[in-house]
Every structure is written in C-alpha cells, then in structure tokens.
C-alpha cells in the first residue's frame, strides 16, 4: 500500500511556514528564465499564481477555457475575503482565524496548512489594495469589515457584493502586466485534456506538459514545461444544478487522477444555504444570494403545519403569518450564532424543516429569508445600500419584491472542499504536478467557511506556490527545455484522440445536457444533503447506468476538429460521471457525519452531525485503479497536535 | 405564476469570421415566463440537436450577470430590453405572445464573429495588457490601511471597477468605440492613490492600444452608458479625456 | 502628433474648433440683433468688418476653423464606420437617454454646411467678397458692399429664403445642443454633477443663439424691417 508523506515541516505551529521558507531551496534569477511552468486556469488561484511566477521571472504558459482570464468563476464570489487583520479591535488574530477555519472545517483539515493560510491572509489584503482593488471603506478612509458565518469577529473585507470580481480583476491586471512584459503567454479558449508524464533519467515520472484542445479550431495541441500547476476550480457541476458557472468542471482534476494523482475527500461538497429555489426542470443553474444577507435577514418557516400547507398551496402570503407563528429555527437551535451559523449547519437545518413539511413554496423546498426586521430597524435606505443589487437580482429572477415580501431560499451545491490531494508544498502525488485553489483539497476540511475560498485561492497563488514550487524546480535547473515530440506526448495524444473518436462515434439519441441532468438527479437524490448507506449503494448502481447510457446513447453533432460545444460538454460529462462515482465511494466509506457530509445514520438525538474521530480522522485519498474499477483508498492521518478536537458547537 | 409565451426567434447563424451569415427563424412554443433567455436557447438547442442539426453557438458562463461572457444583441439592444442586466439575467416574461425576437452577435470590427453569436473579444485583453494595472509585484507592499482613501473616492472607483468587460458598450456604439471600457479602468485606477503614480502612462498606453485595434472615436452619444449592464457612467470618459489631454500637454 | 493620431486628440480638435465656432456664432448673433434696432448702426458694423486687414485675417481664421471642423468630421465618421464592421444590425433601437442629435451630428452638420453655402451666397458674396475683388483691381459692383441692411431686406423678403434659413437654424440648434456639452466633455471638463448642468446650459445657450438669429429673419420677413 502506498504511503503518504504530507511533508509538513517540523516545529511549532506558528513557526512551520517561517522555518520552511528559511530552509527551502530557491532558484536564482538566471535559472528562472530557463524554466517553464504551465498554469491551467485563470481564477483567483491560477491568475495570481501565473502573475506571481511571471513576476519572479519564470516563463509561464497560462490556459483558460473562456475567452478571457477575467471570466473565471471566482468572479462570481459575492460576499468577501477573510483576513486576520484585527482592524476592528474585536479580538481577531492569526490563531483565531486558524482556529475558526479548522473548527468550521469540522476537524478534517491539516493544521499546518490552515495555519499557513491564516498567516498569509493579511498579506493578501495588502496585495489587493496595492493593485487598486476598491474595497469598502469607512468615512475615515480606512478599510471596512463585515461579519460572516462561523466567526464571532468582523474580519471580512468586501467590495460591495462583488468582492470576487474585484479580487479577480486585481489578479487579472497583475497577470495582464506579466503578459505585457513577456513573462506569461496566455492561451484563451484552450481546454486542458490531459497531463503528460515523462520519466526522467532515474525513472521517476514527472509532469512535463499538457495536451489542450483549441476550442475554436478543435485541434489538439501539445505544451511542455518543467512543472504543471492545476488551478481549475471545483467539481460542483457534477450535480448539474449548482451555483457554479456553466463551464466549471472537474476534468483537469480527473485527468490528474487517472494519471496517478490522488483524489482526496471527494464527498466533501458544500451546500450553500441561500440560493434561489429551483423553479422548473428546464433550469440550467442555481443563483446564489450572498451569505452576507444572513447578517441582516432572518430565516424562518411557519410554526404551524397548516400555515405551511397554505403557503404551499398559495392560499396564504408570508406576510399573513404573524411573528408569533414564525419559527426562526436557526435562532432557536443555535442561539449563539443564530442566522450566522456555518453553511453546512444552515443548509441541513433548512432541509430538516422542509423534510418535516414546513417548506414554504409550491414544491415545499424553500424557506424564508426575511428583511422586514432589518428594514424596521435600519430603514429601507440602509438595507438598499447594503444589498440593493442582490435584491434587484432576486426580483429579476423571481418577479417578487424582497423589500415587500420575504425572499425564498433553498440550499444548493456551491463549493467542493475535496479535490486533488496535495502535500504541504501543494504538490500532488505526481512529481512536478501542483494543484491550487478549489482544485486541491487542502484547507477547508469537511466544510468551508464563507469568505475563505477567496482567501485560499489567493494565498495559494500569491504567497504559497511561488515559494514551494521553487523547492521542486531547484532540482530541475539542469533540465533543458524539451520537445513535445517525445514519445510520451505522442502516446498521450493518440489516446486522447481515440477517446474523442469514441465519443463522436456513439451517434446515439441523447444530448449531453439530458444525460448530465440525469446524473445530477442521481447525485442530488442519493449523494445529496442527507446520505445513507443504502442511498449511496443505490447511487453507485445508478451511476453505472448513467455511464452506460452515456456510452451507448450520446449524440454529438458536428466534427471533432472544429468548434464543437457539445463535444466540450461531453468530455466534461464523462469526467463528471467518474467524479460522481468517486464521491459516492468516498461518502460510503466515511461512516460519520462531518461538515458538508451528512450520513443520516450518524447524528445526535437533536439531529446534529456526529463525527467519529477515532475512526475517521483522516484524509481519504483515492487512487485510480483503471476504468470501471473500484478506486483504492489510502489514508492520510490527521494528527491534531495544537488544537483540541471538539464537537462543533454553535449553540452557546 | 408566470404564463407561457410563444414567439418567433430569429437568430443569426454564421460559420466563421469570413463567411456570410444569415438569420434562422425558429418558432418557439409555450415557453414558461420564468425561463431565462439563455435557458430558452438551451431548450432550442436541445431540439436542434434532437433533429440532428448543429446547436446555436453563444458565449455564456456564470449565468448570474457577473462574468461578462454572455453577449447577445436582442431586438436592437445589447443584452436585451432590460436596463442594468446582462443577457443571462433576462427572463422570457419580458416578451409577449407573437413577438419576433431577433438575436444578433455583437457587431463591430473590433469583435470579429467566431461562430453564430460568439465573437472574439480578445481586443479587450490586449487593451488591459497595454496598461490596465498598477505595476506592483507580489509582496513587499505597505499595510492595506497605510493609505487612507476617502470613502466617496473609493466608492467612485468601485462604480468604475464594476465593469464586467462584456463589450456591450462597443456593441451599442454607432462608432464601435471602446471608450467606456477603457475609461472605466483608467478612472478606477486614476482615482485611487495607488494607481495615480502611473495614471498618465496608463491613459496614453490604453488609449493607443484601443485606437490601434480599430475601435472608433467616441462622439458622446451615451448609447454605451444606456446599454451598459453595470450602468457605468460616461463621466468616466470625461475623466479619461482629462487624464489623456493633461498627459499629452505635459509631454 | 497626438491631435491627429489619437482618437481623443482628434476629438479635441473637433471640440476646440466647435467651441470657437460657437463663440463666433454668439458674436454674429449679437451683431445681427443690432439690425433690428438701428439700420445705421448695423451698417457701421458691416463697414468695420469689411475688407480691413483684421477682418480679413479673422475671416481666414474662421474659414480655417470651419474647414478643419468639417474635414475632421468626415475623417472621424469614416473611421467610425470602419470600426462598426461590415455587417450592420438588422434591428436597432435607440436606447433611453440617447439624444437624437448625438447620433446624427454629421447629417445635421451637412445641413448646417448647406445653409452656410446659401448664406455666403446671399451675403458674403455680395459684401466682403466684391470688396476684396475690388481691392485686387477687378471690376465689380461695390455699391452696396457695406449696406448690410439692404441685403438683409433683400434676402428675407423672399419667403423661400426665410424658410430655408429657419430650417438651417433648426438644424443648427440640434447640432449645438449636442455639440456644446459634448465639446466640454471631450475636453474632460465634465463629471456626474456637471453633466446635467452643462447640458442645461448648452440647451439654453443654443436656444438663445438660434433665437437671436431667427428673430432677425422673422422680423425682416414678416415686417420687412419696418413694422415698428
């Protein structure tokens, strides 16, 4: 059985990263110019990494599937970014941010990684301000903060409801500068379709390049480099309906996985509590309403079942139900955190109420998020200033005015904590292959806190990878630039073309989307918010059927060597099916409830998640064993040396 | 409850940048009002695929109005009839039974058609690369609160920074000018102390690149501002003019 | 040279020449009003602005402004048409808040130019031009070259001319309402607060200038210059 070395540096928690940096190997400027790095993805992680590596002097090749790096889905993050600046003097510190993140992750993340994340968080804010990111400010001219779920301090920096956009545009501008300076070469509308491994003279396989499809011409092209960095985001779209962008996919991760990189904790998917509810079977995606709404909105369902029934039948309006008949269930169950409990807790609580029949829309799958109280307390103008754009967005979608009637929300798949396994250096189990941002598994454990995704993506890209990758590349300075005519590239391209050919030749009757929806239903119904042994076994069987349908009944019009959107989607869907299976296997294996993973067999009498630290305090790393085979499980034990592992308590 | 709407879709089909395009007319029956415009196209595409035809190609991604990818010119308006919304935020309830809904790509020399409704907006990246940044390397920077910035200034910078780079301004402009896009970035950075240092250089470089790429001259018609899904103000264009003219006068 | 090889530079040229022409129009209008109050005073001005060297220099300068403004207008329009691409929209709608004038400045400009040609034919060709030709030693009739009022009466007693002049002035009004704030905007003297102010000032100013011209036309057309 393979062993796992996470390469965590020795020493006290607070000194690990400092020690690492002090003793790591570096590459001198003259050698940097001779080293090529491929960065796939241009989101917060990818763009910040490509820009930082370019600024250091490496030659970077940067890829994205969209028409511009600025479109990456990081752009859609609304609420904010955490940092332990303690500008509010409310008792924040690096340790507290670390502690909140570890606790929020339900004690399933690596202490050393999370501490490092908290440590570099402050530099991210400095960096972004220097780039001209227009964060919200107080009248005194200093930066403003807001509070977010899972924390008792105000440490979230924000730029209206468009923080992700502004941070991404900051990283994109830094990237643009490096393109201008000739350090980064940009490949837009290119999709990575395989990672190419080449054996070195000692027989060690190293990531040495990628194959990418030019999405405009449909041609497969080869790219070689000394190291490959994957920053391609998460795989939430396995569920078809999610808050992710339509193009978000887990394909790069699956390509790495099939080449031997471990896939870690795939079952940890975050369900975001505040999304606009599903309205019909033609829907293509779910729209997130920022978590920041929970600062001022109060979540409730009716206390009386007959009121709920009347709401579902459209016989009553929410405004008809008096305050004393409203059940503010989060405030009731979690008095200390109230409406600001972490996302997994809020989502499950909503599901619990809806399962009990208290859902408030025609499908019975929605709860209210009410601003009446905030408007009474602050006035409509203040509420409009804070959330105006979100309210407008809600009204456009639903045709309802949230100033007058409460919003309806329901949980939806939002973020995946699982991802490619990486060590402390962000290197996967394949040498020279790195994974950053949401694509890796490293920092959020079983649940991510709000405003921490932006923090992690930028931490990896700006301040972690540019250091750790040098520790690897310092050994590679003798390796000259190599040709893409190597037999390994030849073989990879041949295999890829065969794969595409196979899909094109199915010539069945079903469109990609129709099969993807089927996959989504299986995932949501059986690997969704509440999982059981039975549902997961069913899921695995059903996923086999989906796979069969895919290979027998798929129809892709057009040609492979041409712009072909359906082919792009088909290749991604093939990988989503694989990810779905991985998620089901992992969820089946993890016989406990923690964070975003809730096994109904494992809950307290009050319905709270029940962890089994004695058996499952590990990272589940899955190793590929061939198409259609069950993957092999390898465990990386999590040793909590610096924090006391506790049951999460948001009640008091 | 939203009702169902039937209308005629006239959609632009074009194989490539050099090839001649034409309109394809597709009747759309009983589309629920709460379907988004892009979901409607998904449904139409599904039918086309089922008939063995090639689907309509269009750019889209986040479908929540922020990525700037979607770019349809619907019934004479970039991003359709709503104000302050992108194509993906338009819902079918905005249309009426029996309407003819004409969908065209952005038409501008600066944005050549790739296929159907998908255009190449790489020019925007090139303009950004010419100078749309503050020249800082990663690390080695002062504390974020070292320079206080008055709230009104930060807010105004944020107004400009809200640009999503979708290209609606160029699509709306009878001159095919990209001034609103360029000015939004120049304004954002010229307003903030961090960006002031190289404001003159930035304004000159970005404008020169815009001109070089074949975008037109701004004649202050305000069509860009009216059609901008993020309501970016043309006061940014005045600021760009100011920055540029004073930079040139100093040379 | 940035005034010709950058888009803002070219617009600055349009803006500055445009503003100078607005200034000229203001003087011209003020001068015309004199004709209502006193024919003699008006003719004195005509004499003063005859073929004297300063008047000729000013006329040459004015001509240059007009020519530059027109050349740049066509140049910009050609560039803008090219920037629009070869394919036109099948459906286009005027967005809210867009003035009609702003999208038709060239057409309006051409109407203004035609009016100008008529105007030069009616007045300049009968006043300053013969004087100059005379000075150059040619045989021309110089009897009424400084009798501006005579030419005014002559021209506006003809209703066709009067109507053409009013059409011309209407086009000028549209041209100015956009041109005024647009020129200041191009020079960068604008922001969110001043935007509406400049537009209002521009509208009032254009209206005053155009009304000033129109009053003289109407006065001489309807009253023959002697009803009061």
């Amino acid at each position: 059985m393979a062993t796992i070395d996470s390469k965590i540096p020795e020493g006290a928690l607070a000194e690990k990263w400092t020690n690492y940096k002090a003793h790591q190997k570096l590459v001198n400027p003259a050698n940097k110019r001779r080293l090529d790095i491929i960065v796939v993805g241009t989101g917060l992680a990818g763009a910040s990494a490509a820009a930082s590596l370019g600024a250091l002097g490496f030659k970077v090749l940067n890829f994205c599937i969209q028409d511009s790096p600025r479109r990456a889905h990081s752009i859609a993050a609304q609420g904010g970014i955490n940092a332990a600046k303690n500008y509010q003097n409310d008792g924040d510190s690096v340790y507290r941010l670390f502690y909140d993140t570890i606790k929020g992750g339900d004690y399933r993340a690596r202490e050393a990684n999370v501490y490092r994340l908290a440590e570099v968080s402050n530099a991210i804010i400095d960096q972004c301000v220097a780039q001209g990111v227009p964060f919200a400010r107080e009248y005194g001219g200093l930066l403003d903060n807001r509070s977010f779920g899972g924390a008792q301090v105000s440490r979230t920096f924000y730029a209206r409801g468009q923080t992700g956009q502004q941070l991404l545009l900051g990283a994109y501008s830094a990237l643009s500068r490096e393109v201008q300076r000739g350090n980064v070469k940009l490949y837009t509308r290119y999709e990575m379709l395989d990672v190419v491994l080449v054996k070195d003279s000692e027989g060690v396989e190293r990531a040495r390049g990628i194959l990418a499809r030019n999405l405009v011409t449909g041609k497969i092209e080869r790219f070689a480099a000394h190291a490959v960095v994957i920053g391609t985001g998460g795989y939430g779209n396995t569920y078809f309906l999610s808050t992710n962008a339509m193009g978000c996919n887990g394909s790069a991760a699956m390509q790495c996985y099939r080449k031997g990189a471990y896939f870690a904790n795939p079952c940890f998917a975050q369900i975001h509590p505040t999304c606009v509810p599903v309205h019909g079977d033609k829907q293509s995606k779910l729209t997130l309403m920022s978590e920041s709404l929970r600062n001022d909105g109060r979540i409730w369902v009716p206390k009386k079942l007959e009121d709920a029934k009347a709401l579902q039948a459209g016989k009553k309006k929410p405004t008809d139900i008096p305050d004393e008949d409203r059940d503010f269930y989060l405030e009731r169950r979690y008095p200390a955190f109230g409406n600001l409990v972490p996302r997994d807790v809020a989502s499950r609580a909503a599901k619990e109420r809806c399962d009990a029949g208290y859902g408030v829309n025609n499908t019975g799958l929605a709860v209210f998020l009410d601003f009446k109280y905030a408007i009474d307390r602050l006035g409509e103008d203040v509420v409009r200033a804070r959330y105006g754009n979100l309210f407008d967005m809600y009204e456009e979608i639903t045709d309802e005015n949230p100033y007058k009637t409460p919003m309806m929300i329901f949980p939806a798949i939002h973020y995946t904590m699982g991802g490619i396994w990486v060590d402390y250096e962000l290197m996967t189990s394949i040498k020279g292959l790195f994974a950053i941002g949401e694509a890796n598994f490293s920092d959020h454990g079983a649940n991510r806190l709000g405003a921490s995704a932006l923090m992690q993506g930028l931490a990896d890209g700006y301040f972690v990878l540019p250091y750790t990758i040098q520790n690897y590349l310092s050994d590679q300075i003798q390796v000259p630039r190599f040709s893409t005519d190597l037999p390994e590239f030849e073989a990879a391209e041949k295999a890829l073309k065969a794969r595409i050919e196979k899909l094109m030749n199915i010539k069945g009757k079903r469109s990609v989307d129709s099969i993807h929806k089927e996959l989504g239903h299986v995932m949501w119904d059986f690997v969704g918010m509440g999982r059981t042994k039975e549902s997961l076994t069913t899921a695995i069987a059903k996923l086999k059927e989906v796979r069969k349908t895919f290979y027998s009944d798929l129809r892709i019009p057009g040609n492979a060597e041409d712009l072909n959107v359906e082919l792009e989607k088909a290749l991604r869907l093939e990988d989503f099916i694989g990810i779905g299976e991985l998620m089901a296997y992992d969820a089946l294996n993890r016989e406990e409830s923690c964070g975003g993973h809730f096994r109904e067999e494992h809950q307290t009498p009050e319905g709270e998640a029940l962890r089994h630290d004695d058996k499952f305090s590990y990272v589940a790393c899955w190793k590929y064993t061939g198409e259609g085979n069950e993957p092999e499980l390898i465990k990386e034990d999590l040793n909590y040396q610096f924090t006391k592992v506790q049951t999460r308590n948001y009640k008091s | 409850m939203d009702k169902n709407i039937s209308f005629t879709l006239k959609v632009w089909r074009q194989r490539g940048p050099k090839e001649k395009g034409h309109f394809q007319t597709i009747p759309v029956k009983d589309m629920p009002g709460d379907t988004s415009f892009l979901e409607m196209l998904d449904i139409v595409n599904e039918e086309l695929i089922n008939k063995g035809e090639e689907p309509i190609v269009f750019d889209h991604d986040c479908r929540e109005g922020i990525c700037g990818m979607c770019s349809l010119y619907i019934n004479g308006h970039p991003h359709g009839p709503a104000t302050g919304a992108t194509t993906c935020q338009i819902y079918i309830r905005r249309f009426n039974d029996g309407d003819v809904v004409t969908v065209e790509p952005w038409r501008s020399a600066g944005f050549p058609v790739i296929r159907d409704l998908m255009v190449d907006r790489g020019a925007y990246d090139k303009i950004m690369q010419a100078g749309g940044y503050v020249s800082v390397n990663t690390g080695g920077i002062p504390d974020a609160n070292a320079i206080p910035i008055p709230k009104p200034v930060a807010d105004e910078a944020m107004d400009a920074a809200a640009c999503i780079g979708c290209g609606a301004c160029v699509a709306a402009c009878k001159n095919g000018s990209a001034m609103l896009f360029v000015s939004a970035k120049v304004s954002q950075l010229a307003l903030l102390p961090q960006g002031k240092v190289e404001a003159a250089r930035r304004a000159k470089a970005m404008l020169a690149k815009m001109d070089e790429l074949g975008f037109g001259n701004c004649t202050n018609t305000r069509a860009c501002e009216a059609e901008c899904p993020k309501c970016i103000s043309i006061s940014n264009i005045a600021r760009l003019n100011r920055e540029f003219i004073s930079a040139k006068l100093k040379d | 040279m940035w005034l010709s090889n950058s888009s803002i530079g070219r617009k600055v040229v349009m803006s500055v020449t445009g503003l100078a022409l607005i200034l000229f129009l203001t003087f011209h209008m003020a001068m015309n009003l004199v004709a209502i109050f006193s024919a003699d005073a008006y003719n004195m001005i005509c004499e003063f602005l005859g073929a004297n060297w300063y008047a000729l220099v000013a006329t040459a300068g004015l001509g240059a402004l007009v020519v530059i403004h027109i050349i740049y207008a066509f140049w910009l329009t050609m560039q803008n048409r090219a920037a629009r691409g070869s394919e036109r929209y099948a459906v286009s709608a005027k967005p809210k808040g867009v003035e009609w004038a702003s999208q038709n400045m060239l057409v309006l400009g051409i109407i203004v130019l035609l009016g100008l040609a008529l105007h030069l034919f009616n007045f300049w060709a009968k006043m300053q031009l013969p004087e100059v030709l005379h000075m150059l030693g040619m045989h021309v009739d110089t009897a009424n070259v400084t009798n501006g009022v005579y030419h005014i009466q002559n021209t506006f007693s003809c209703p066709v001319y009067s109507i053409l002049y009013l059409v011309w002035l209407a086009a000028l009004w549209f041209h100015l309402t956009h041109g005024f704030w647009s020129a200041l905007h191009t020079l960068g003297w604008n922001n969110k607060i001043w935007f509406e102010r400049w537009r209002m000032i521009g509208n009032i100013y254009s209206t005053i200038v155009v009304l000033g011209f129109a009053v003289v036309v109407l006065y001489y057309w309807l009253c023959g210059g002697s009803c009061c």
Side-chain angles (χ1 to χ4, degrees), chain C residues 19 26 28 37 40 50 57 77 82 112 121 124 127 140 150 170 186-187 197 202-203 216:
Chain C
L19 286 174
T26 314
H28 194 327
F37 302 108
D40 289 343
V57 169
T77 305
V112 171
F121 165 73
W124 180 73
M127 296 172 72
V140 284
Y150 165 78
T186 297
L187 293 177
R197 291 182 189 168
N203 286 347
V216 177

Side-chain angles (χ1 to χ4, degrees), chain A residues 112-144:
Chain A
N113 284 51
V114 176
Y115 196 87
R116 175 177 66 187
L117 174 67
E119 227 177 322
V120 302
S121 67
N122 290 343
I124 296 171
I125 304 302
D126 301 342
Q127 183 70 30
C128 295
V129 167
Q131 287 168 346
V133 169
F135 282 122
R137 286 176 186 269
E138 310 260 17
Y139 278 102
L142 302 183
L143 292 163
D144 191 18

Side-chain angles (χ1 to χ4, degrees), chain B residues 104 107 171 211 217-218 220 242, chain C residues 7 11 80 83-84 90 182 188:
Chain B
E104 300 175 71
R107 295 194 196 279
D211 291 345
N217 306 281
C218 171
N220 304 327
R242 203 151 64 227
Chain C
S7 57
K11 289 291 301 168
N80 291 346
R84 201 80 209 76
S182 179

